[in-house]
Amino acid sequence: MTSRNQHVTKRSDGSWQVKGEGASKPYRVTRTQAEAVDIARDVTRNQGSELFIHRPDGRIRARDSHGRDPFPPRG
């Protein structure tokens, strides 16, 4: 399985979706944003990818990286 960034976005019917970057269909649809974030966080941890949480207007509210970040950070 390839690691794919996950996006939590609001749908036109008021529900929230977890959708992989470049996917045509959502991975999961939930009633609340919190449920969608929990699901997406599990997926990104397993894949080692990034999570993008969007506001209802579509702007990015938060990011969470579960990739191979160097620790301590460089620079």
Side-chain angles (χ1 to χ4, degrees):
M1 179 184 342
T2 61
S3 65
R4 182 183 277 193
N5 294 336
Q6 300 294 315
H7 294 261
V8 173
T9 56
K10 189 161 188 172
R11 295 167 50 103
S12 60
D13 64 1
S15 62
W16 290 84
Q17 68 182 0
V18 177
K19 192 171 180 183
E21 198 166 280
S24 59
K25 293 183 180 181
Y27 170 70
R28 190 77 64 81
V29 176
T30 65
R31 290 179 36 185
T32 67
Q33 185 182 35
E35 288 176 296
V37 168
D38 288 342
I39 292 166
R41 189 161 279 133
D42 287 341
V43 172
T44 56
R45 280 187 186 133
N46 290 336
Q47 292 182 351
S49 58
E50 291 214 31
L51 167 61
F52 294 87
I53 303 167
H54 295 260
R55 297 177 189 274
D57 65 4
R59 293 184 303 154
I60 294 174
R61 174 175 68 99
R63 287 175 76 158
D64 198 358
S65 176
H66 296 286
R68 290 177 174 74
D69 293 336
F71 186 80
R74 292 185 209 149

